[in-house]
Amino acid sequence: MKKILYTIGVACMMGALTGCSKFLEAENRAALEADNYYETPATQAELRVSMYNGMKSMATVIDLQEWGTDLYATTRGGQPPVYQNFILTAEDGGVNSFYQNAYSMIKGANAVLKYASSNPQYVAEAKFVRCLGYYLLTQQFGAVPYVTEYIETANKSYPRSSLANIYESMIAELESIKDLAQLPEEDHNGNISRRAVKALLAKICLAAGWDLETTLTDAAQGTYQITGTALFGKAAQYASEAINGQSLTMSFEDKWSPFNEGNAEEIFSVQYQRAGYPGDEITGGHSLQNTYGSQYGSPMDNCLKSCSSTLVPSAKSLYLWGQGDQRYDGTFMTTIYNGMGVWGTTGYYAYYNATAAAKQTMRIMGRYFPWYTTTAETEAFIAAHQEQLKKGDSKAQVYVVIMADPATAYMFDDNGNIASTTIRNKEYYDYLRGEGMTAVTHCVKKFDDAATPQANNATGYRDIVMLHLSDLYLVAAEANLMAGNETQALKYINDVRTRAGAPTLPTFAAYAPDYAMPIGFSIRPIDLVLDERARELYAERTRWMDLRRTRQLVRYNVAFNRYVTSVADMCNNRGEVKWYRPIPAAEIETNTAISNENQNPGY
């Protein structure tokens, strides 16, 4: 799949398929008729590759998937986006882009279904892509227009289908292809497999169970009544089939290593490849590696990774990983080497590209210790590494930080001595507001590309993992919990914790997190599931969907989002909670079957 993405000329006929009026309609702008052009296997393969490429715009969405949750904050005095404090409107560009790109992905799948209907592999892949598009849409918008034909008319009337009908259709469609012989059993190179179909089925059945088999009783408390378990049972079944007996034996660090793409735990990923990219390498990748973390300085001056100073850990996030949990170091870059004028083997990417011997003496720009590290332990590290903490030729400030609330940041002079500017016991969110270069946090390294050129952004060519093994373990845990099988749910959770080096739990009631909780916030079994998902899937763009799905969106934001103080902050002036994103104003303006009266509650 990586190779054909760049070797097939996919652009030559897409004008015939994407000259659309808004999201769904198409008009033929090409001299050739599409029906004639797509008669050959080669041209149908072009259409298939275009469909696969259409997933890239959805795989890299950040704002709608992460903000408005408990895990992230801004730094250096930056204002939160409208998604974090729930003041977005139907005119929001991010909402419109998400909606439009999802339907573009669906339209690409519908095109394959129309023009390559004689190829059972392509048909199955298109059904998977279409269901993935509708899964993402329903999690953000609820009921949406459900279109299963490639639109070639000027029709502008597409009513919203009920969630029940959409879920039923997606589940039936995926069940029809889950055992199809023309799909490989599994694949680690970006092709859709039978295992990927079952994994997506598990996620869709889990979401359907929450939306159709539970009833919210109190938004502020996150309480609900379970009214059925059939869909949760299906989710547990398909998660088990996708797991297929595979144990979590790979270390968390190796799982996310840039040198281990396509590993045995990947079930489906959206593919990128630097080698052979036909355009400008600097703009052809994605910027996930540049998103989650503080700005450390100019890559051109300091040989450091560019970050956006947004989506840094919230105070709650700091305390998710306890002592011994390997996911802390596997998720965050805890040692950043100083740039000494040589890109790649000094500076940020030295972690991947320098030899172990070189790193023993290489200058360190930043070292981040977890919350449970004492000042005595930190200062012992400083004393033992004074030579490495000298500034040298770099322009970057040198610091060592205990990532806790309150935070302590040791600053150093050019000779590696602790400077008078050291910040001790500063309230974490005050620390994030910044004093000079001190508002620094560790960044996420899950998406780091060791071959990144010396440039500012959009330079990452890491594959974007959409479905993977430990995620399915936690889907199975959640589904079993909701289906009433608490023993099996806890086993799946403990399997994930054991791989990470975290202690196993004898019962759900034994779970006691280390983060601070407001008065009245008591831990329930679903909180263990959500906290484990936060640890295992941090920065994987699932958090908002996780909280909405499990009915905890209001409860978690009021408790842990510093920009939300009450339920009222998440409501409109009629008291309607914003459980979904607004249907875009552009859709309401052009779709004659949707009016303002059909807008989601809260907007």
Side-chain angles (χ1 to χ4, degrees):
M1 176 58 65
K2 275 181 176 284
K3 291 181 180 178
I4 65 172
L5 285 177
Y6 297 147
T7 57
I8 292 179
V10 297
C12 62
M13 274 299 294
M14 286 313 294
L17 298 175
T18 59
C20 60
S21 173
K22 293 301 176 186
F23 309 129
L24 296 169
E25 302 83 13
E27 55 182 307
N28 190 348
R29 294 182 179 178
L32 296 173
E33 289 293 331
D35 287 337
N36 296 329
Y37 184 82
Y38 289 112
E39 288 180 344
T40 68
T43 52
Q44 289 173 5
E46 293 177 5
L47 197 58
R48 171 185 181 250
V49 171
S50 178
M51 175 184 72
Y52 269 89
N53 276 329
M55 288 186 278
K56 289 183 176 180
S57 62
M58 297 304 294
T60 54
V61 173
I62 300 292
D63 287 349
L64 274 72
Q65 305 283 40
E66 300 284 35
W67 289 117
T69 70
D70 55 327
L71 298 184
Y72 305 103
T74 59
T75 188
R76 296 193 178 189
Q79 292 300 306
V82 293
Y83 312 97
Q84 183 72 353
N85 52 18
F86 291 85
I87 60 172
L88 75 162
T89 67
E91 288 75 24
D92 181 77
V95 169
N96 188 64
S97 292
F98 186 101
Y99 194 90
Q100 182 173 2
N101 289 337
Y103 273 111
S104 292
M105 189 170 89
I106 291 164
K107 184 172 62 180
N110 285 341
V112 171
L113 288 166
K114 175 178 173 61
Y115 294 112
S117 60
S118 61
N119 188 317
Q121 175 194 339
Y122 290 9
V123 167
E125 291 174 329
K127 288 181 177 180
F128 175 96
V129 172
R130 183 165 70 188
C131 287
L132 177 60
Y134 278 118
Y135 168 70
L136 295 172
L137 278 169
T138 56
Q139 299 316 289
Q140 292 284 341
F141 299 99
V144 293
Y146 187 67
V147 181
T148 58
E149 295 181 359
Y150 182 65
I151 305 299
E152 299 176 279
T153 69
N155 179 30
K156 295 182 182 295
S157 180
Y158 303 99
R160 297 175 79 176
S161 299
S162 71
L163 268 178
N165 286 341
I166 298 173
Y167 279 130
E168 181 182 2
S169 298
M170 288 192 292
I171 292 168
E173 192 154 72
L174 292 175
E175 286 180 333
S176 73
I177 62 171
K178 67 181 179 66
D179 297 313
L180 191 72
Q182 285 83 358
L183 291 178
E185 174 56 34
E186 63 179 285
D187 182 272
H188 303 291
N189 295 300
N191 297 287
I192 293 158
S193 65
R194 298 197 293 272
R195 193 180 192 189
V197 173
K198 293 168 186 173
L200 182 56
L201 254 173
K203 283 181 165 282
I204 289 173
C205 287
L206 181 64
W210 280 100
D211 283 337
L212 304 179
E213 295 182 338
T214 70
T215 301
L216 179 71
T217 56
D218 190 313
Q221 297 300 317
T223 54
Y224 50 85
Q225 179 183 2
I226 299 175
T227 58
T229 59
L231 288 165
F232 291 121
K234 270 194 170 187
Q237 171 198 334
Y238 288 128
S240 176
E241 290 183 18
I243 291 168
N244 195 29
Q246 183 179 351
S247 300
L248 299 170
T249 57
M250 185 184 306
S251 74
F252 195 81
E253 177 85 12
D254 286 346
K255 174 174 181 169
W256 291 104
S257 167
F259 307 116
N260 197 26
E261 289 189 292
N263 63 59
E265 286 200 19
E266 286 190 18
I267 296 175
F268 178 69
S269 57
V270 173
Q271 301 286 288
Y272 283 79
Q273 183 169 322
R274 176 176 280 104
Y277 181 72
D280 184 354
E281 176 187 337
I282 301 300
T283 60
H286 58 79
S287 58
L288 287 184
Q289 69 172 339
N290 309 109
T291 301
Y292 298 85
S294 299
Q295 176 58 257
Y296 304 113
S298 168
M300 309 310 291
D301 294 334
N302 298 333
C303 299
L304 300 173
K305 182 173 81 170
S306 173
C307 278
S308 59
S309 285
T310 58
L311 288 164
V312 299
S314 66
K316 174 187 176 178
S317 292
L318 301 179
Y319 291 87
L320 284 171
W321 296 269
Q323 195 157 5
D325 194 325
Q326 299 163 10
R327 291 172 292 188
Y328 178 82
D329 286 312
T331 299
F332 298 106
M333 183 63 79
T334 57
T335 301
I336 298 178
Y337 293 97
N338 223 327
M340 306 303 289
V342 182
W343 179 260
T345 55
T346 73
Y348 183 87
Y349 294 97
Y351 178 83
Y352 305 106
N353 299 323
T355 66
K359 286 185 281 189
Q360 288 294 318
T361 58
M362 190 176 294
R363 300 288 170 83
I364 294 172
M365 185 203 77
R367 179 70 171 91
Y368 301 92
F369 287 104
W371 63 270
Y372 48 79
T373 310
T374 66
T375 54
E377 291 169 332
T378 305
E379 289 168 11
F381 169 87
I382 291 169
H385 295 81
Q386 183 175 6
E387 190 67 26
Q388 286 183 274
L389 294 170
K390 291 182 178 179
K391 188 172 184 179
D393 296 331
S394 174
K395 298 179 182 179
Q397 173 70 58
V398 178
Y399 48 83
V400 172
V401 185
I402 302 175
M403 297 299 300
D405 188 14
T408 295
Y410 295 87
M411 316 299 289
F412 298 88
D413 63 21
D414 291 354
N415 296 315
N417 299 307
I418 296 174
S420 59
T421 52
T422 287
I423 297 171
R424 300 179 187 273
N425 297 318
K426 195 174 189 69
E427 195 271 333
Y428 180 64
Y429 288 120
D430 287 341
Y431 170 74
L432 287 184
R433 278 194 279 271
E435 296 177 3
M437 288 296 292
T438 60
V440 287
T441 67
H442 43 27
C443 63
V444 171
K445 67 179 185 180
K446 280 184 174 181
F447 316 111
D448 283 350
D449 180 351
T452 295
Q454 192 167 2
N456 283 310
N457 51 34
T459 56
Y461 283 79
R462 286 285 298 275
D463 297 340
I464 302 174
V465 180
M466 302 290 284
L467 299 167
H468 61 85
L469 186 62
S470 57
D471 182 10
L472 267 294
Y473 267 73
L474 295 174
V475 168
E478 186 178 328
N480 275 283
L481 175 66
M482 297 302 290
N485 192 349
E486 192 169 297
T487 300
Q488 187 63 26
L490 189 63
K491 182 184 182 303
Y492 279 115
I493 288 173
N494 278 330
D495 286 344
V496 172
R497 290 174 66 86
T498 297
R499 189 264 290 276
T504 58
L505 298 166
T507 63
F508 275 90
Y511 177 57
D514 293 300
Y515 53 80
M517 293 173 280
I519 296 173
F521 190 100
S522 57
I523 295 297
R524 306 166 189 163
I526 195 62
D527 297 321
L528 171 57
V529 173
L530 287 169
D531 282 357
E532 216 56 55
R533 288 188 66 80
R535 297 180 185 98
E536 190 75 15
L537 282 76
Y538 190 88
E540 292 184 41
R541 305 163 308 287
T542 66
R543 192 58 172 179
W544 194 90
M545 292 194 300
D546 287 346
L547 296 186
R548 188 216 63 82
R549 178 184 69 251
T550 59
R551 312 285 195 176
Q552 305 308 306
L553 186 67
V554 176
R555 176 174 172 244
Y556 271 49
N557 272 284
V558 173
F560 303 113
N561 178 350
R562 64 187 299 248
Y563 305 105
V564 172
T565 59
S566 69
V567 180
D569 291 339
M570 299 176 64
C571 298
N572 63 6
N573 56 14
R574 295 188 298 276
E576 298 171 333
V577 175
K578 299 175 181 178
W579 282 105
Y580 288 109
R581 310 304 191 181
I583 298 297
E587 171 73 342
I588 294 174
E589 290 170 4
T590 58
N591 187 341
T592 59
I594 299 178
S595 67
N596 286 322
E597 286 68 34
N598 304 124
Q599 181 59 274
N600 281 330
Y603 302 98

